[in-house]
Amino acid sequence: MKQTKCKMSDETSASGFLLLPFSDVLELQLLHFAAFLLLYLGIVSGNLLIISAIALDRLLHSPMYFFLMNLAIQDIGFLSVIIPKSMANSLMNTRHISYSGCVAQVLFFVFFLASNFALLIVMAYDRCVAICNPLEYEMIMNRNACLQIIAIVWITGFLYSVLHTTGTFASPFCSNVVNQFFCEIPQLLKLACSDLYLIELGVLVVSIFMCLGCFIFIVLSYVHIFSAVRKIRSVHGRRKAFSTCLPHLIVVSTFLCSAVFADLRPPPDNPSHLDIAITILYSVVPPMLNPVIYSMRNKEIKNAVLRLLGFRASKNIV
């Protein structure tokens, strides 16, 4: 029995994994490729506009927009981990991914996901300091502090992803058929044929408690923010404070709802089209909505994007 498991593990390492196809019909696979291509180009273009607007506009060279630029970079990276490979498989009518490719996909998927969440926590803290302690904001969130914070975000996300990737691939696999269109940790753990997968389960449980603590921190930050905003006497001041916080609050809510929905939903043995649609929803919607939310709800970002595209920025944009 042990020899069979070892043999299967060696075969998996050599041959790689078989991902879930969207359809067995070539025409539908090409349709999937075209749809994903348009979606990918649209999301990447939107986030690149945000990055370019912030980098090129001196009026946006502040901590809040510096963090937003990094968020857009993470969204592009997160999407690029899973979508291009899926498009390539549909175009070439294959479902194969190499073992090292699967490892890399898990590593960078978790890396961008964890970094994204860590950055949203930092952005909540940034807004809390800016609104609750405005006189000391520039001293607290100075250039060096921002660079150190963002370095910690990226490094922590990478170390966290290494931990998850090691736990996931520590166990040999009894099969190489992944019931998902990308290498997703819950589906990979279902293929494990030793108790080593319990390492990753333990890491996941600890991660849930850590995320809960971070969520409480975000909630407390916004309690302080709303309390401070209520004390602002002018209507214009309150509106301006809310305009800088509301996009972040919507992005956090979207991210957390997607993450909770993905984690609480048990991985199906035989995924239906609805299951695949749900997976696409939670993996694609946050990167797609972030540039839309910030460009629609933030006057400075909207004006900077308009200037970047050669249009005259409106003074009346709210």
Side-chain angles (χ1 to χ4, degrees), residues 66-71 74 115 118-119 122-123 143-156:
F66 173 66
F67 295 138
L68 177 57
M69 182 175 68
N70 278 268
L71 184 69
Q74 290 172 354
S115 300
L119 187 54
V122 169
M123 292 173 76
R143 180 182 174 84
N144 289 334
C146 290
L147 291 175
Q148 290 173 7
I149 289 171
I150 207 65
I152 291 172
V153 165
W154 286 100
I155 293 171
T156 302

Side-chain angles (χ1 to χ4, degrees), residues 200-258:
E200 175 59 15
L201 286 180
V203 174
L204 287 172
V205 171
V206 173
S207 300
I208 290 172
F209 284 104
M210 288 175 60
C211 290
L212 181 61
C214 295
F215 172 72
I216 292 172
F217 175 81
I218 292 175
V219 170
L220 291 177
S221 296
Y222 272 98
V223 168
H224 285 293
I225 288 171
F226 291 142
S227 177
V229 169
R230 287 181 59 188
K231 296 177 183 177
I232 299 176
R233 294 183 178 181
S234 69
V235 176
H236 176 72
R238 286 198 297 269
R239 185 178 297 175
K240 185 175 181 181
F242 274 123
S243 70
T244 61
C245 293
L246 189 58
H248 176 261
L249 190 58
I250 297 173
V251 168
V252 169
S253 301
T254 305
F255 180 90
L256 290 177
C257 288
S258 301

Side-chain angles (χ1 to χ4, degrees), residues 123-302:
M123 292 173 76
Y125 173 74
D126 172 73
R127 290 299 82 208
C128 186
V129 175
I131 294 174
C132 300
N133 198 4
L135 297 179
E136 298 182 12
Y137 176 69
E138 291 187 4
M139 182 181 69
I140 296 173
M141 302 300 292
N142 58 67
R143 180 182 174 84
N144 289 334
C146 290
L147 291 175
Q148 290 173 7
I149 289 171
I150 207 65
I152 291 172
V153 165
W154 286 100
I155 293 171
T156 302
F158 181 74
L159 294 177
Y160 180 78
S161 68
V162 169
L163 185 63
H164 270 292
T165 306
T166 303
T168 302
F169 291 93
S171 172
F173 298 104
C174 295
S175 172
N176 68 337
V177 179
V178 181
N179 285 323
Q180 190 55 273
F181 69 93
F182 66 97
C183 288
E184 190 182 42
I185 289 179
Q187 291 292 348
L188 288 170
L189 292 181
K190 290 178 67 175
L191 306 179
C193 49
S194 80
D195 293 336
L196 289 174
Y197 79 95
L198 294 174
I199 297 174
E200 175 59 15
L201 286 180
V203 174
L204 287 172
V205 171
V206 173
S207 300
I208 290 172
F209 284 104
M210 288 175 60
C211 290
L212 181 61
C214 295
F215 172 72
I216 292 172
F217 175 81
I218 292 175
V219 170
L220 291 177
S221 296
Y222 272 98
V223 168
H224 285 293
I225 288 171
F226 291 142
S227 177
V229 169
R230 287 181 59 188
K231 296 177 183 177
I232 299 176
R233 294 183 178 181
S234 69
V235 176
H236 176 72
R238 286 198 297 269
R239 185 178 297 175
K240 185 175 181 181
F242 274 123
S243 70
T244 61
C245 293
L246 189 58
H248 176 261
L249 190 58
I250 297 173
V251 168
V252 169
S253 301
T254 305
F255 180 90
L256 290 177
C257 288
S258 301
V260 169
F261 186 77
D263 291 337
L264 293 182
R265 186 176 63 95
D269 293 324
N270 296 301
S272 63
H273 292 296
L274 179 61
D275 293 317
I276 296 175
I278 290 172
T279 303
I280 294 173
L281 203 63
Y282 80 72
S283 59
V284 172
V285 166
M288 178 178 66
L289 287 183
N290 288 355
V292 175
I293 292 169
Y294 275 102
S295 61
M296 292 299 293
R297 297 299 308 177
N298 188 291
K299 181 179 68 176
E300 287 77 13
I301 285 290
K302 183 181 285 189

Side-chain angles (χ1 to χ4, degrees), residues 85-114:
K85 178 59 181 175
S86 181
M87 289 193 302
N89 280 0
S90 294
L91 186 63
M92 296 185 292
N93 193 24
T94 183
R95 51 188 294 198
H96 178 264
I97 184 172
S98 66
Y99 186 88
S100 58
C102 190
V103 172
Q105 204 171 61
V106 170
L107 177 71
F108 287 106
F109 182 83
V110 178
F111 168 54
F112 286 114
L113 191 67

Side-chain angles (χ1 to χ4, degrees), residues 1-10 172-174 193-194:
M1 184 68 178
K2 185 180 290 186
Q3 290 180 349
T4 304
K5 290 182 179 180
C6 291
K7 184 178 179 182
M8 180 61 71
S9 177
D10 292 339
F173 298 104
C174 295
C193 49
S194 80

